[in-house]
Amino acid sequence: MLKKISVARYLFSRLSQLGVSSVHGVPGDFFLKALDDLAPSGLKWIGNCNELNAGYAADGYARVKGLSALFTTFGVGEMSAYNALAGSFAEYAPVVHIVGSPARKLQRERRMVHHTLGDGDFGVFRRMFRNVTVAQADLVNAAEIPEQIDEVLGEAVKQSRPVYLSLPSDIVPVPVAASRLKTPLASRGSANTSAHLEAFVDLISNKILSAQRPLILADGLCFPFDIVEEVNKLVEHSQIPAMCYPFGKGVIDEGFKNFYGVHTGRFGVVNNSAYVEQADLILLFGPLLSDNNSSGFTTIPDPARTIVFEKDKIELFKNATYQYNSKEALRAILDTLQHCIFDRERYITLQTPEITSLLSDDDGNVFDRGRPITQNSFWCRLDGYLRPHDLILLANGTPLPGARNFELPPHARILSSSIFLSVGHWLPAAQGVALAQRELGPSGRTILFEGDGSFQASTQELSTIIRHRLDVTIFLINNNGYTYERGIHGCDAEYNDIAQWRYLEAPRFFGASGKDSKYRVKTHRVDKWWDLDDMLADADFAKGKGLKLVEVVMDKEDLPGRMGEVLANAGRALDS
């Protein structure tokens, strides 16, 4: 190994060591020379259409690979990406945001440089990012830079949240010591060295063994907290009844007989709230219990009966908090319980969704294949289309409640938003997800369910998907505007309408030739059940290779399940 390498090479080498293979962004003058070092460092540049979309794409990539990198220019570029980074912060997607900034001399002299506010304050944007990143560093002192980079990247991995690095243009080629690269950065988990851990594990294990009506609830932060494997082992071995929150769909293997679906209380296909309310022990893993994820706060369990497992702390009945890493603690609990025999018959059987009963029309009749497609039946019709290892992205709007009752095959996973819910997020995120899947090797498909309003917010990234020949299947729900918002307020108001696009012409406009046999781009428009059935039965479509864009036409007021009631409640809450 060389004794000295450039600052850029050091940073990119660290990213590569941590599993990042591609860097998203939009080129800007302050970091153009840094980009010359990407390829020699083994990294690929993914140029997006704008910085906001690049941030969304990096978010999707991070949710699959565990870390991503985003490059923007100072001021205008980083502020454009701010919204995406805020969402990544809220939902624990570890994005390394690298900002190419003006040369150090210009900053010291407080010069009136382009992309600034003209007041000589070059730290103003960096200070803003303190609110949505867990670590920041201004790389100005060559002697300190390797340690600064390692500390900041280490926090991204440890906390599974975004971090911020300011890279002045003149520091890019400066040589720094390469010796630290010999030592890998700390892994995501942190060791529990406390002498009290054994006693804590015995305490939790005894409570599990003595509970008469226990319950396991899993949520989406199990993925960034890296406890999915341990949670599944506990569900399988203990036979304790288990459910997940909408954001946690895919955490628990749905083939387990003691898995009882998504916990949405009285707003779900089935309502197991009575069992939840009477449970004497609730084990809650990786929660992010926003109003959207907890059915308007109605499905949050009683803290007096709940043990909450977060990243590096475990809260016991809201009376005590223990600073233990949940992954290590769970492994110790599983070791303690491995020789204990659990009998599923001792636990009450919960109600499971009768999915087949949903294969009727809204009047309760076996549906006519020539009738228009409706929300209530559309989602359950897709169960047979899903495959193991699929990554299914649900954009904000009707796809979120519609797809929550999918019967997921093994290792399939839902990716969605729980709290930030930024319109336009998931099409660029699909680009990042599909790229991450390609880099990880053959697995499942990238499938996006997107509303027409959300599609219009960030549709440019179709061009990035096509440019890099990524495999993405998009179901675009065309319901003539913001149906979700119509349910809250202004059902017929003009502000909930959107322009009527010719959606299926988008791939051609964004560069798809239609003549490339190695990267096939196909479009479909379905508004009747027989159109959907015929398309899903097509073997080429089912492979998910190339770009597939499906326009699914639905009524503008049609909502899945009991979402009409949920949204009406949300509308009334606006005045409370």
Side-chain angles (χ1 to χ4, degrees), residues 12 107 144 175 219 292 334 380 406 409 434 455 466 527 543:
F12 298 154
Q107 295 192 44
E144 299 173 354
D219 203 6
N292 188 73
L334 287 166
C380 63
F406 276 163
F455 183 86
I466 293 167
D527 60 1
K543 291 177 182 177

Side-chain angles (χ1 to χ4, degrees), residues 446-523:
T446 299
I447 304 168
L448 168 66
F449 292 92
E450 175 91 308
D452 48 0
S454 186
F455 183 86
Q456 290 192 9
S458 55
T459 187
Q460 309 99 309
E461 293 315 312
L462 268 184
S463 65
T464 310
I465 290 171
I466 293 167
R467 178 185 180 187
H468 294 283
R469 304 165 69 86
L470 297 171
D471 298 327
V472 182
T473 298
I474 301 171
F475 289 85
L476 193 160
I477 312 300
N478 181 354
N479 46 17
N480 196 24
Y482 298 113
T483 295
Y484 210 78
E485 277 68 22
R486 293 186 200 278
I488 297 173
H489 181 76
C491 181
D492 297 313
E494 183 180 10
Y495 49 72
N496 282 325
D497 297 335
I498 60 174
Q500 291 302 295
W501 286 12
R502 292 190 289 271
Y503 294 104
L504 300 188
E505 296 180 23
R508 181 176 175 82
F509 175 79
F510 286 120
S513 68
K515 300 177 181 179
D516 187 344
S517 62
K518 294 183 179 179
Y519 184 71
R520 302 190 64 183
V521 177
K522 299 193 71 174
T523 60

Side-chain angles (χ1 to χ4, degrees), residues 156-170:
V157 173
K158 180 181 178 182
Q159 299 192 46
S160 194
R161 275 182 153 171
V163 295
Y164 180 102
L165 290 169
S166 176
L167 183 68
S169 60
D170 64 314

Side-chain angles (χ1 to χ4, degrees), residues 280-477:
D280 56 357
L281 176 67
I282 299 172
L283 304 174
L284 175 58
F285 298 100
L288 188 58
L289 300 183
S290 65
D291 52 350
N292 188 73
N293 193 36
S294 63
S295 301
F297 307 119
T298 62
T299 58
I300 298 175
D302 179 3
R305 295 176 285 115
T306 304
I307 302 175
V308 182
F309 292 78
E310 298 192 24
K311 179 72 169 65
D312 287 306
K313 70 175 182 179
I314 301 170
E315 190 174 88
L316 186 64
F317 307 134
K318 207 175 181 179
N319 295 324
T321 299
Y322 297 83
Q323 302 301 322
Y324 297 133
N325 175 259
S326 285
K327 186 178 185 69
E328 301 302 325
L330 277 170
R331 286 180 171 179
I333 291 169
L334 287 166
D335 287 343
T336 300
L337 297 177
Q338 66 177 328
H339 299 300
C340 299
I341 298 175
F342 291 85
D343 181 8
R344 180 168 174 261
E345 300 302 320
R346 66 177 282 208
Y347 302 127
I348 295 175
T349 300
L350 278 65
Q351 189 178 0
T352 56
E354 291 286 344
I355 298 299
T356 54
S357 69
L358 298 180
L359 295 177
S360 57
D361 63 20
D362 295 336
D363 298 322
N365 304 310
V366 175
F367 64 76
D368 178 355
R369 294 180 70 243
R371 295 185 66 173
I373 293 173
T374 58
Q375 290 274 357
N376 270 349
S377 297
F378 171 73
W379 302 101
C380 63
R381 295 279 288 177
L382 294 167
D383 278 341
Y385 165 70
L386 303 179
R387 293 180 174 178
H389 300 284
D390 280 347
L391 293 182
I392 303 150
L393 286 61
L394 306 180
N396 311 317
T398 54
L400 276 176
R404 66 176 47 150
N405 290 307
F406 276 163
E407 291 187 342
L408 295 183
H411 308 294
R413 175 184 167 190
I414 295 284
L415 287 88
S416 64
S417 185
S418 169
I419 187 169
F420 205 65
L421 301 166
S422 182
V423 65
H425 176 182
W426 285 100
L427 176 57
Q431 180 262 294
V433 168
L435 179 65
Q437 280 196 305
R438 172 190 287 177
E439 292 174 358
L440 290 170
S443 55
R445 302 164 297 180
T446 299
I447 304 168
L448 168 66
F449 292 92
E450 175 91 308
D452 48 0
S454 186
F455 183 86
Q456 290 192 9
S458 55
T459 187
Q460 309 99 309
E461 293 315 312
L462 268 184
S463 65
T464 310
I465 290 171
I466 293 167
R467 178 185 180 187
H468 294 283
R469 304 165 69 86
L470 297 171
D471 298 327
V472 182
T473 298
I474 301 171
F475 289 85
L476 193 160
I477 312 300

